[in-house]
Amino acid sequence: MPVSRSSTTPEQQEAWRQARKLVGAAVREARIQAGLTQEALALESGVTRNMLIHVEHGTRGVSFERLYDLAGALGIAPSRLLPDDPLRARSTRG
């Protein structure tokens, strides 16, 4: 089991990068559908606008707790912000 990013495979790092982009796109789409600005969503969810910008662009991951905060502020289920499973495609665990 990897304990740091330096001990992960390039494939796993790429899967995480893709997951961040997919989650960010889902957050942005839900925010727009809800008619919220980035600032309004940031205030409602308790994250900074700067963090929200990075999340939406996929350059920063979001913690489990913040994912729930964002979903709650958007009035949607947290599962709507998650991709199907981009990590499943890497290797199967034995």
Side-chain angles (χ1 to χ4, degrees):
M1 171 180 267
V3 294
S4 70
R5 283 187 190 236
S6 63
S7 63
T8 60
T9 65
E11 293 81 15
Q12 188 176 37
Q13 290 179 16
E14 177 60 20
W16 288 339
R17 189 185 72 75
Q18 288 295 328
R20 283 192 305 271
K21 287 192 150 309
L22 291 170
V23 168
V27 169
R28 183 176 190 277
E29 182 180 328
R31 175 181 60 77
I32 291 168
Q33 286 179 355
L36 295 172
T37 63
Q38 287 176 332
E39 182 145 350
L41 178 56
L43 288 170
E44 187 68 26
S45 66
V47 302
T48 66
R49 181 171 176 264
N50 193 40
M51 179 186 171
L52 182 58
I53 289 168
H54 285 287
V55 168
E56 286 189 0
H57 286 126
T59 58
R60 180 174 178 171
V62 61
S63 71
F64 177 79
E65 294 85 0
R66 286 300 184 199
L67 185 74
Y68 270 80
D69 292 341
L70 288 166
L74 290 164
I76 61 173
S79 61
R80 287 209 27 218
L81 301 177
L82 296 173
D84 286 336
D85 189 2
L87 301 180
R88 184 184 303 153
R90 55 187 174 108
S91 62
T92 45
R93 298 176 195 211

